[in-house]
Amino acid sequence: MRTVTIVLAASVLVGCRWSACTAAEPAGPQLLKVDGKQLKTAQGAVVRLQGVNIPSLEWSQGEHLLQSLAAASDDWGVNVVRLPLSQDRWFGHTKEKEDGGVSYRNTVRDFVRQAADKRCYVILDLHWSDAGKWGENIGQHQMPDDNSTAFWSEVATAYANNPAVLFGLYNEPHHVTWEIWRDGGNVAEQNRRAPGGKLEYQSPGLQKLLDVCRAQGAKNIVLAGGLDWGYDLSGVAKGFALSDPKGNGVLYDTHIYPVKKNRDSLVTAVADKYAVLVGEFGPDRGDPKAFVNQILQYVDEHQLHWTALCMHPGARPCLIKDWKYAPTAFGEPVKEALRNAAAKRTTPPG
């Protein structure tokens, strides 16, 4: 959930400081598997993911991506980046590039490689879809569509069992039932630009997208965002958890903003039993530091994984003021928390 205003400015690389994500260490992070509420390496080391969102590939061919990765890993101390993507841009169904998506896919590849060199994980997040029509209606929708299965078939094939990569099945499902969330079905959503003011399409559901990934031999951890724009995870504890007998497990994804209520019943009750990532959080009103400090205390209390939104000066809520990566009032406590975590973090045995 974000408001985007594109801001162009100079970009800089930030000097390397943190041992948790540096190219000087053994190459690449370790493959992860869900074990109860935790993520563990094959050797049994517990890994807690703490990082940021680096956006722009959902709305463009990418802006300052590698510079932002360098700042996030080398200066801020992240060990994970959530990278929002567009299924239409992956396949080249936009007017920005007429190369069938080759340059876009290469950009993602290069980002993943450089992140892995820094021992940082990357969540490939299907952020924007198209309601089942290539090149049309590109943006956030209520659910993934049938074209999303083609996206995950290709992405899972390309990154199958890459230790650095996790798969975020769909950004923010909303306004559907838990049955459709898991199993798919017909989705009708209001859209002023569509004939009759409504878009209708078939959604495969998140279980199908998980199954598509596994059919390519990819065991990578998948992320499943809850309902209510990714916030509500309550259905997971009520019989709608995804089944993953062939993979490395499911990490459930919640997005927390000040407007969201009933956190104990909709999030905490699930986080006490399942592995959970707070994939987005940030202030949209009031004192930013007060809200962010409350969330950072919450995730630490429950040992949740998290990626703050976002490292872009023109996509609110903004962690940074400019492309020199000066933190905003929101970014200051996030950066401090990440640097403290990086200082304490030990490298999992390889």
Side-chain angles (χ1 to χ4, degrees):
M1 180 183 298
R2 71 164 70 90
T3 303
V4 177
T5 304
I6 305 304
V7 178
L8 297 179
S11 62
V12 298
L13 292 175
V14 181
C16 180
R17 297 183 184 180
W18 297 108
S19 61
C21 291
T22 68
E25 293 189 356
Q30 300 295 302
L31 186 68
L32 297 177
K33 186 173 184 178
V34 175
D35 185 357
K37 293 171 51 179
Q38 298 177 320
L39 305 186
K40 293 183 179 180
T41 68
Q43 294 75 27
V46 175
V47 175
R48 186 178 176 208
L49 301 179
Q50 295 167 282
V52 297
N53 286 256
I54 296 182
S56 71
L57 281 173
E58 64 270 51
W59 70 73
S60 72
Q61 296 293 310
E63 301 169 9
H64 303 275
L65 293 171
L66 298 182
Q67 297 96 321
S68 296
L69 172 62
S73 61
D74 300 343
D75 185 33
W76 290 49
V78 309
N79 69 348
V80 65
V81 168
R82 184 171 180 257
L83 189 68
L85 302 177
S86 161
Q87 65 191 32
D88 288 78
R89 289 180 170 83
W90 180 272
F91 289 106
H93 294 297
T94 62
K95 297 179 181 179
E96 303 142 5
K97 290 276 187 179
E98 296 183 355
D99 62 357
V102 171
S103 59
Y104 186 91
R105 295 192 296 272
N106 287 344
T107 296
V108 176
R109 178 201 63 196
D110 293 345
F111 189 97
V112 169
R113 286 178 177 175
Q114 292 203 28
D117 286 344
K118 295 174 179 294
R119 299 187 64 82
C120 289
Y121 295 93
V122 180
I123 298 167
L124 299 180
D125 162 54
L126 177 51
H127 213 78
W128 282 11
S129 54
D130 55 34
K133 292 186 178 181
W134 291 118
E136 301 181 27
N137 312 307
I138 300 172
Q140 168 69 50
H141 290 280
Q142 291 176 197
M143 284 288 288
D145 53 71
D146 286 338
N147 291 337
S148 307
T149 61
F151 171 84
W152 280 118
S153 179
E154 278 222 0
V155 173
T157 298
Y159 295 98
N161 307 313
N162 184 319
V165 175
L166 296 79
F167 299 151
L169 297 178
Y170 197 65
N171 176 36
E172 291 181 333
H174 59 280
H175 290 98
V176 297
T177 64
W178 280 104
E179 287 83 1
I180 289 178
W181 177 87
R182 184 186 64 187
D183 302 325
N186 187 69
V187 176
E189 59 183 61
Q190 300 301 312
N191 187 301
R192 288 177 295 178
R193 298 179 181 178
K198 184 170 64 174
L199 284 174
E200 290 196 51
Y201 57 95
Q202 285 292 313
S203 175
L206 297 193
Q207 182 65 58
K208 175 66 174 180
L209 296 185
L210 184 156
D211 294 342
V212 166
C213 294
R214 300 304 181 232
Q216 315 315 311
K219 295 184 178 181
N220 312 54
I221 288 175
V222 302
L223 286 84
L227 288 179
D228 189 15
W229 299 89
Y231 177 63
D232 176 9
L233 299 180
S234 62
V236 174
K238 297 177 180 178
F240 292 98
L242 302 185
S243 175
D244 188 29
K246 297 181 180 180
N248 288 348
V250 180
L251 179 60
Y252 292 98
D253 181 10
T254 183
H255 297 178
I256 301 179
Y257 292 94
V259 69
K260 301 300 184 182
K261 307 299 181 184
N262 304 314
R263 191 186 308 158
D264 284 346
S265 61
L266 300 182
V267 178
T268 310
V270 175
D272 287 342
K273 297 179 181 179
Y274 296 85
V276 170
L277 168 96
V278 181
E280 292 185 15
F281 68 91
D284 56 10
R285 64 192 69 191
D287 180 0
K289 288 189 176 180
F291 174 75
V292 172
N293 285 330
Q294 178 206 30
I295 297 301
L296 291 173
Q297 180 180 354
Y298 175 76
V299 295
D300 279 349
E301 178 184 351
H302 296 278
Q303 286 296 288
L304 306 184
H305 311 273
W306 56 271
T307 51
L309 188 80
C310 65
M311 190 164 271
H312 191 294
R316 297 193 299 269
C318 304
L319 289 166
I320 56 175
K321 298 176 181 178
D322 49 41
W323 290 120
K324 294 182 179 180
Y325 299 96
T328 61
F330 163 39
E332 288 172 359
V334 170
K335 183 175 182 178
E336 181 181 6
L338 287 167
R339 288 165 67 120
N340 288 341
K344 297 175 183 178
R345 193 179 298 130
T346 57
T347 304

